[in-house]
Amino acid sequence: EKASVQELVNTILTQQLPKVNQSLSFTDKGINVAAANADQFEDALAAMSSYITAPQFTDEALAKAKAEILSHITAQDKYYTKSITALSVQNLNLNDVNAYYSAMANPATAYLTVAGNIKPAKIKSYAKAINQIKVTDDQSSKTYFVANY
């Protein structure tokens, strides 16, 4: 079940991040930011930080991700481990997705790696500006640290 829910979360992130900011994309290795200049990078970094602390996992997003995975399983055009089956994907629900994300994707342990024509001091100033983001939901209030220096 873990592999199936991980694939489902990855698929949701892949589908949603470009909608949050067109400079963002997701792979199983993490979030990617492709920005043409420092201003675009700063905007994308802020959008990424906000999203990872409070992702929008909805029933609609879940259904869309399930449909994509199931179509790949049926077509056999993408490799999945043996534990990812049509039944294992169909049996997952929004609670499973949220529980997995809460347990596995802790922004406090995230690392920011930057490659490109941007000065390290500028990156540090961007990261410090978004370092603490307060997220409030119905049950609790958490502060995540999303950059480690």
Side-chain angles (χ1 to χ4, degrees), residues 53-56 98 102 133-144:
T53 56
Q56 300 298 310
N98 286 321
S102 293
I133 295 175
K134 192 136 183 128
V135 178
T136 305
D137 59 29
D138 294 338
Q139 301 167 351
S140 66
S141 178
K142 302 175 185 177
T143 301
Y144 290 109

Side-chain angles (χ1 to χ4, degrees), residues 16-61:
Q16 287 187 344
L17 275 172
K19 293 176 186 172
V20 172
N21 183 295
Q22 65 183 4
S23 296
L24 299 175
S25 63
F26 183 82
T27 68
D28 59 351
K29 294 181 177 35
I31 298 172
N32 302 303
V33 178
N37 59 49
D39 290 338
Q40 284 181 357
F41 180 82
E42 184 177 17
D43 291 344
L45 188 63
M48 176 196 69
S49 179
S50 294
Y51 184 85
I52 64 172
T53 56
Q56 300 298 310
F57 297 137
T58 63
D59 288 325
E60 182 181 336

Side-chain angles (χ1 to χ4, degrees), residues 5-25:
V5 74
Q6 180 180 7
E7 187 62 36
L8 199 53
V9 168
N10 287 351
T11 302
I12 292 171
L13 291 172
T14 299
Q15 292 171 346
Q16 287 187 344
L17 275 172
K19 293 176 186 172
V20 172
N21 183 295
Q22 65 183 4
S23 296
L24 299 175
S25 63

Side-chain angles (χ1 to χ4, degrees), residues 74-130:
T74 301
Q76 297 181 343
D77 62 355
K78 183 175 179 183
Y79 172 77
Y80 293 112
T81 63
K82 289 181 181 181
S83 62
I84 299 176
T85 64
L87 184 61
S88 71
V89 172
Q90 289 169 338
N91 286 337
L92 294 171
N93 60 46
L94 207 50
N95 290 336
D96 298 322
V97 169
N98 286 321
Y100 174 82
Y101 189 82
S102 293
M104 301 303 292
N106 183 351
T109 60
Y111 287 91
L112 176 63
T113 304
V114 178
N117 188 16
I118 190 164
K119 296 186 184 303
K122 194 76 159 163
I123 294 299
K124 283 187 179 184
S125 72
Y126 293 158
K128 284 180 182 179
I130 63 165

